[in-house]
Amino acid sequence: MNICFVGAGYVGLTSAVVFAELGNKVWLVDIDKEKIDLINNGKAPFYEPGLGELIKKHANSGNLTATTKLEQGVQNSKIIFIAVGTPIGKTGKADLSQVEAVVEEIGQCLNKEYKLVVIKSTVPPGTTKKMGEKLRKLNPKINFDVAFCPEFLRPGKAIEDSLNPDRVVIGTNNDQVFAILKDLYQPMKTKIIRTSIESAEIIKYAANSYLALRIGFIDQIALLAEEAKADILEIVEGIGSDKRIGSHYWYPGIGYGGYCFPKDVLALSSVFKNHGLADNLFAKLADLNRKRPELYVNKLEESLGGLKGKSIGVLGLTAKPGTDDMRGSQAVYFIQLLTAEGAEVRAYDPLGMEKAKKILENVEFCQTPEKVAENASALCLLCEWEEFESLDWEKVKEMMDGDLVFDGKRMFDPNAIERAGLRYFGVGV
Ligand code: NAD
C-alpha cells in the first residue's frame, strides 16, 4: 500500500520503516528539515536498536521517502497516519496543537480522491471525531474517513514492538475503513481488535496509566517496606506468584518517567476532571510519582549529613535503558535537586550524555562508570543499564571518599556492596 506518516519521531519514524520493511511504499513527513535530511541519507536522528539499519535499507530500496512537504506525502498515499507529539499543556491537559496544525494542513491538500486519515498520536476521547469535523469544515467536498489506531511501542524496543505487537487496536465504526486497516496490519500476524473510535482512544490512556499505576503501587509498598524494615523484592516475589497479579512489570524505584507515562497519566486525570471527576486515582498517582526523586534526595541528604559541597556520582541518566531519550527522565529531576542543594554531581550514561549535556547544568560528565566514583561521598544508580551490573565494588570503594551506594532501581546485590566495605541503601529495603 501507499501510506504516509506525518511526524518522524519515535512513533512515526519507527512505524514508517517497519511498514516499509513489510513491503509498503511509505512517505514520511516532518517539519524538521535536519531530521528529514538525515533519514534520506540513511541515518537515524535518535538511537533505537535496529532503526539505523532499517532506515539505510529502505532509503536505498525506495520504499521509504522522507520529505518536509506534506502535500507530497498526502497525494501519493491512500492512508495518512498522524504521529506528531501531544505533549502536556500548562494545565495538565494534552496539548493538541501539533495534531490540529497537521489536520489543517491535510485539509488544504486533499482533493476528490479518497483518503483515510488515521490518528496514531495519543489523544483524549472525542479528539479523532473532532478532527474529522474540522477536516469536513475546511473542505466540504473531500472524500475521506478518520480512524484512531493507538501505538503501544516501547522506546528501546520500538522496532521489535512494531514488527511483533501484542495486539493492534483499530478504532472505527466503518466496515470499509476496518477492512483497509486490517489489510495493512495483517502481515504482523497478531490479534486485531476492532473497537469504536472513543474506546480506542481510551485504551491507549488506560494501558499506559495501568502500567504507571503498577509502578506507583509498588513504589508505595516500597515506602512501607523501608519503614517496616522489610524488603520490596521479597514482597514482589510473594505477591507476584499469585496468578491473578503476575510476577511481571514490578519496578520499584525513583518513580516512573519517560515521555509517555507522566504525560498520559496527567492527561487522563484531566479528562476525568473535564467530566466533573477531579478526585480521581490518576491525579493522586501523578502527584505521588512526582515526589519520588525528592523523597530519596532528602533521604540521601539525611544519610550524608547534608549535600552542600558533597561529590555525588550518578550512574544512568536516560528515561530507561536501551535509549538515548531523556524526555521525562526521573534521573534528570533527581540530579537537578542534588545540584540545587549544592552537591557536585559527576555522571555517566552509556547513550544519553550528549543529550544530557544540553539539559543539565553544573554536572561533570565522565567517560566510564568507575570514573564517577572518584572522590564521591555517595554513588547513585538512577537508570538500570546492564553494563552497571559488572561494576567492580572493590575498585569503587578504593576510588570513593565516602561509602554510600544508593540503588534507585534495585539492580545491585547488596551483599557484594557490603562485602567491599560500602553501605547499601536501596529503594524498598
Ligand atoms: P516526537 O516528539 O518524537 O515526534 C513528533 C514529530 O512530529 C517531531 O519530529 C516533530 O518535528 C514532528 N512534527 C510536529 N509538528 C509537525 C507538523 N506540523 N508536520 C509534520 N511534522 C510535525 O513524538 P513521539 O514520541 O513519536 O510521539 C508521537 C505521539 O505518539 C505522541 O502522541 C505520543 O504520546 C504517542 N506515543 C509515543 C510513544 C513513545 O514511546 N514515544 C509510544 C506510543 C505512543
Side-chain angles (χ1 to χ4, degrees):
M1 280 192 200
N2 288 349
I3 62 175
C4 169
F5 281 86
V6 187
Y10 281 79
V11 171
L13 175 55
T14 307
S15 310
V17 295
V18 161
F19 279 110
E21 177 73 3
L22 294 173
N24 300 284
K25 282 254 176 241
V26 185
W27 290 80
L28 179 61
V29 182
D30 203 290
I31 44 174
D32 184 340
K33 186 169 182 312
E34 214 177 303
K35 226 179 217 186
I36 293 301
D37 289 346
L38 271 175
I39 296 165
N40 280 332
N41 287 323
K43 294 201 177 85
F46 49 84
Y47 178 76
E48 193 58 50
L51 179 67
E53 290 83 339
L54 282 183
I55 293 177
K56 203 173 191 175
K57 180 172 168 192
H58 293 295
N60 289 331
S61 76
N63 275 3
L64 178 69
T65 311
T67 174
T68 53
K69 295 190 176 68
L70 181 76
E71 198 173 357
Q72 233 176 10
V74 169
Q75 281 173 2
N76 286 296
S77 311
K78 179 171 181 180
I79 312 175
I80 301 140
F81 286 96
I82 301 180
V84 293
T86 47
I88 208 72
K90 278 195 189 114
T91 57
K93 264 185 173 173
D95 173 355
L96 300 175
S97 56
Q98 293 181 34
V99 176
E100 284 167 358
V102 172
V103 167
E104 262 170 46
E105 226 188 306
I106 292 175
Q108 318 295 326
C109 342
L110 292 189
N111 50 34
K112 283 189 186 138
E113 204 182 334
Y114 176 79
K115 303 283 171 182
L116 172 56
V117 178
V118 185
I119 298 190
K120 235 184 189 310
S121 302
T122 305
V123 295
T127 306
T128 306
K129 279 201 179 148
K130 264 190 215 146
M131 293 303 127
E133 286 156 17
K134 197 179 172 81
L135 264 181
R136 176 67 61 220
K137 258 193 209 152
L138 280 165
N139 194 339
K141 289 188 196 131
I142 55 180
N143 181 16
F144 74 97
D145 282 304
V146 291
F148 181 78
C149 282
E151 177 56 59
F152 299 105
L153 65 77
R154 296 164 293 174
K157 295 205 160 56
I159 297 287
E160 190 185 319
D161 286 349
S162 302
L163 273 170
N164 304 295
D166 288 343
R167 79 304 206 182
V168 165
V169 174
I170 298 177
T172 176
N173 300 325
N174 178 319
D175 291 347
Q176 211 183 326
V177 167
F178 180 67
I180 296 172
L181 289 170
K182 196 173 159 210
D183 256 13
L184 180 70
Y185 280 104
Q186 203 78 62
M188 287 180 181
K189 297 192 175 44
T190 190
K191 182 176 178 181
I192 294 182
I193 302 167
R194 178 177 173 180
T195 69
S196 72
I197 291 181
E198 292 79 3
S199 296
E201 289 168 326
I202 294 176
I203 284 168
K204 176 61 199 171
Y205 276 122
N208 267 3
S209 298
Y210 175 71
L211 294 171
L213 186 64
R214 271 182 88 104
I215 297 172
F217 172 84
I218 211 63
D219 280 347
Q220 272 287 279
I221 303 291
L223 212 52
L224 180 59
E226 285 162 26
E227 295 296 321
K229 310 232 172 307
D231 184 344
I232 192 64
L233 295 190
E234 291 177 356
I235 297 169
V236 160
E237 194 185 354
I239 60 173
S241 305
D242 184 326
K243 287 194 187 73
R244 292 168 304 172
I245 298 172
S247 55
H248 61 286
Y249 216 77
W250 292 122
Y251 298 116
I254 55 170
Y256 58 78
Y259 177 52
C260 291
F261 285 5
K263 84 174 175 63
D264 290 351
V265 170
L266 270 177
L268 184 59
S269 162
S270 173
V271 170
F272 272 80
K273 280 183 198 151
N274 285 347
H275 287 279
L277 302 163
D279 188 18
N280 64 74
L281 179 63
F282 307 104
K284 192 70 198 167
L285 174 63
D287 187 39
L288 287 171
N289 190 68
R290 193 175 43 79
K291 292 175 181 153
R292 294 289 290 170
E294 198 177 326
L295 188 90
Y296 288 101
V297 167
N298 289 344
K299 288 191 180 213
L300 202 63
E301 184 169 23
E302 209 174 289
S303 187
L304 293 174
L307 286 168
K308 198 165 173 52
K310 298 266 163 61
S311 172
I312 310 287
V314 168
L315 297 171
L317 300 168
T318 46
K320 58 190 289 196
T323 162
D324 62 354
D325 196 359
M326 301 296 300
R327 296 179 297 179
S329 162
Q330 293 285 85
V332 166
Y333 181 35
F334 193 102
I335 291 170
Q336 285 166 337
L337 292 168
L338 287 174
T339 52
E341 289 301 322
E344 287 159 15
V345 176
R346 293 159 65 82
Y348 169 82
D349 187 278
L351 282 180
M353 290 203 287
E354 282 319 303
K355 287 189 179 169
K357 281 176 192 167
K358 294 180 188 147
I359 307 168
L360 287 165
E361 287 170 8
N362 305 322
V363 170
E364 189 185 331
F365 293 92
C366 302
Q367 288 316 306
T368 64
E370 283 81 13
K371 203 86 179 130
V372 303
E374 218 167 64
N375 306 323
S377 299
L379 186 66
C380 303
L381 174 91
L382 302 183
C383 180
E384 68 280 30
W385 285 89
E386 219 177 286
E387 71 170 83
F388 301 146
E389 268 172 11
S390 53
L391 274 179
D392 177 344
W393 291 111
E394 307 286 338
K395 201 167 149 199
V396 168
K397 164 81 173 119
E398 267 173 39
M399 295 175 86
M400 282 178 72
D401 252 4
D403 63 356
L404 188 65
V405 176
F406 171 59
D407 185 353
K409 292 287 176 171
R410 292 307 300 271
M411 183 192 203
F412 297 139
D413 171 8
N415 295 327
I417 289 172
E418 282 164 5
R419 269 198 308 271
L422 294 161
R423 268 191 302 150
Y424 180 83
F425 160 33
V427 167
V429 68

